[in-house]
Amino acid sequence: MALETWLIKVKTALSNSFDSVRPSKPKNLLLKKPSLSSKPKHVGVLSFEIAGVMSKLLHLWQSLSDDSIIRLRNDAIAIEGVWKLISNDESFLLGLAVAEFADTLRLFADSGRDPHSWTLTSSKEIEAKHKRMERYVTHTATLHREMDELSVLESALRKALHNNSNNNNNDHNNDVCSLGGKEHQKVCDFQQKIFWQKQEVKDLKERSLWNKGFDAVLLLLVRSIFTVLARIKVVFGIGHCKPCLSRSLSASATVYPSDQNPTSSCIFVSGPLKSSKLEENKEDLGSGFFESNCKLLKPPPSTLGASALALHYANLIIVMEKMIKSPQLVGVDARDDLYAMLPSSIRSYLRSRLKGVGFSACDPVLAGEWRDALGRILGWLLPLAHNMIKWQSERSFEQQNLVPKTNVLLLQTLFFANKEKTEAAITELLVGLNYIWRFEREMTAKALFECTNFNGLLSLRKPS
């Protein structure tokens, strides 16, 4: 990936900068003079990738704000579907959140140590650096668009000149002065637009990362990386840092398909925002900080992530949700297509659940009960499916989107969901959908039959 290529360059530059400050033997020290003709290396075309890195760092920093962490505890890890399908262990869920933050930061840093004291400590300095990075990201994103527009204009000009050359049967006759009235004006308009577009691009190159020195941008990124790392440690109480937040969480959920009292299944203890998984390795804050935390992101064999079914099941759930909302609009072909999406494990579940079920579905009370049951299941299952789509789509187009659009964490998706429990829930949705689909079809057929009989009766009563 282009991002990884640039990060390798950053890592190399960092290593070279470290080597340059190491003490060495003063051998032939006066024989070499610094070159006065050397020019500072500009970021140039790498500015677009660097802007993406800056944007993700800013987004990560915002995800670690006080408000975001409060939402993480009160909303993200308290999602009903998370507690039903992933875990009701709050410490484990917090550990997953930290692991994802650490894995994101791992792309930008190779060590958790800060030997050169690059961490920003002043709130004013942090705010100033972040505002500068935001300006760089905005101007660089605009530069990207304007350079694309310039390319389009130049291509259109070449096309206009080429068409005129073909019309005149002269391959070399593409001079503007030789063009006719309309063609001449059209080409002149293109040239004027290109001139102003080039001026706009030139101005944006000065204000964006394009013409900034590579070393200065690198230093800004490195200091931001260590500042984000320090924030993670403070927020989650890692090492000797005190947590910056306390909490009092009161939420509950049961694990599907159990119907036990939800308040009896979970115990909450007020205390600092921390993860027991992190506390076990709190002394290992060097490169081991990333390794120990990122290991948590490897899904266990019992999860959808391990079986590579998380995204497929998310799409399946969303398709079923649309069918459940409007079962009367579902045709036989759509029903067959849905069945074709099912893996063999769910088909096996479904066959066992449908054994003994009659072919008639004409009970409106039972149909209403099924609709209520499906609504309850979708209430906690659907958010995880939508989050899975958002999480995946953002990362699939990360090269196109400089600014992340969501705050969805992996723990809020189906990635860590228990495969067996998820398939049980999906099977329940399929059984309910099967009944209300047949119920709607039978009610429609009955209404048509009664309408046909009524029309036939009217025709018989008409006088001859």
Side-chain angles (χ1 to χ4, degrees), residues 423-441:
E423 290 183 343
I426 291 175
T427 302
E428 205 69 12
L429 290 176
L430 290 168
V431 173
L433 175 60
N434 174 67
Y435 188 87
I436 62 174
W437 180 78
R438 290 191 292 115
F439 175 79
E440 291 292 340
R441 288 178 66 86

Side-chain angles (χ1 to χ4, degrees), residues 94-104 278 293-297:
L94 282 174
L96 290 180
V98 180
E100 188 165 1
F101 290 144
D103 189 57
T104 303
L278 293 174
N293 286 287
C294 295
K295 285 178 182 178
L296 291 177
L297 293 182

Side-chain angles (χ1 to χ4, degrees), residues 3 105 114 127 204 207 227 271 300 312 362 375 463:
L3 176 60
L105 194 60
D114 186 11
E127 184 178 0
L204 284 169
R207 290 187 290 163
T227 304
H312 180 72
C362 55

Side-chain angles (χ1 to χ4, degrees), residues 50-62 126-142 207-209 220-221 224 402-403:
I50 296 175
V53 174
M54 282 188 174
S55 177
K56 291 173 177 62
L57 272 174
L58 289 169
H59 183 71
L60 180 58
W61 176 262
Q62 293 164 1
I126 292 174
E127 184 178 0
K129 297 290 185 185
H130 286 176
K131 285 184 177 179
R132 188 198 306 177
M133 290 172 65
E134 288 171 354
R135 288 196 301 270
Y136 284 159
V137 170
T138 301
H139 292 322
T140 305
T142 306
R207 290 187 290 163
S208 69
L209 290 166
L220 178 61
L221 278 175
S224 299
L402 291 182
V403 182

Side-chain angles (χ1 to χ4, degrees), residues 143-342:
L143 173 63
H144 190 277
R145 292 194 300 269
E146 296 302 327
M147 289 180 71
D148 283 344
E149 179 64 22
L150 177 60
S151 178
V152 170
L153 289 173
E154 291 176 335
S155 176
L157 175 61
R158 288 193 298 269
K159 184 177 180 181
L161 292 173
H162 179 72
N163 290 340
N164 177 75
S165 176
N166 289 338
N167 292 336
N168 294 332
N169 296 320
N170 186 356
D171 294 337
H172 303 286
N173 188 20
N174 57 359
D175 192 281
V176 178
C177 298
S178 65
L179 299 178
K182 290 185 179 180
E183 290 80 5
H184 181 273
Q185 185 60 43
K186 182 178 180 181
V187 170
C188 286
D189 289 342
F190 273 127
Q191 289 179 329
Q192 187 65 28
K193 289 179 181 178
I194 289 173
F195 172 78
W196 290 114
Q197 192 68 21
K198 286 183 176 179
Q199 294 300 314
E200 180 69 16
V201 168
K202 182 180 178 181
D203 179 61
L204 284 169
K205 283 184 176 180
E206 291 296 329
R207 290 187 290 163
S208 69
L209 290 166
W210 187 280
N211 284 344
K212 298 298 179 291
F214 187 85
D215 292 340
V217 173
L218 178 63
L219 179 61
L220 178 61
L221 278 175
V222 170
R223 299 202 70 179
S224 299
I225 289 169
F226 281 108
T227 304
V228 171
L229 177 60
R231 176 64 180 174
I232 292 176
K233 294 177 182 178
V234 169
V235 168
F236 293 95
I238 302 172
H240 302 291
C241 301
K242 293 183 179 179
C244 65
L245 293 174
S246 61
R247 55 87 173 171
S248 178
L249 177 65
S250 178
S252 59
T254 57
V255 177
Y256 181 86
S258 173
D259 293 323
Q260 62 181 331
N261 184 1
T263 59
S264 65
S265 62
C266 307
I267 299 176
F268 296 88
V269 181
S270 296
L273 183 60
K274 64 182 181 179
S275 167
S276 59
K277 298 290 184 181
L278 293 174
E279 286 298 303
E280 295 174 1
N281 299 315
K282 66 182 180 180
E283 298 301 330
D284 185 14
L285 298 178
S287 59
F289 169 78
F290 295 105
E291 282 78 359
S292 61
N293 286 287
C294 295
K295 285 178 182 178
L296 291 177
L297 293 182
K298 184 179 180 180
S302 60
T303 63
L304 294 180
S307 54
L309 286 170
L311 187 60
H312 180 72
Y313 279 9
N315 287 312
L316 179 62
I317 292 166
I318 292 173
V319 169
M320 285 192 293
E321 185 250 350
K322 294 177 180 178
M323 290 183 170
I324 290 170
K325 280 186 176 180
S326 305
Q328 69 279 4
L329 302 179
V330 179
V332 176
D333 291 341
R335 188 168 179 263
D336 293 341
D337 290 341
L338 175 63
Y339 186 78
M341 292 178 66
L342 305 180

Side-chain angles (χ1 to χ4, degrees), residues 352-373:
S352 62
R353 284 286 282 113
L354 291 177
K355 282 183 179 179
V357 176
F359 292 99
S360 177
C362 55
D363 187 347
V365 176
L366 183 57
E369 291 176 351
W370 266 119
R371 286 193 178 93
D372 292 340

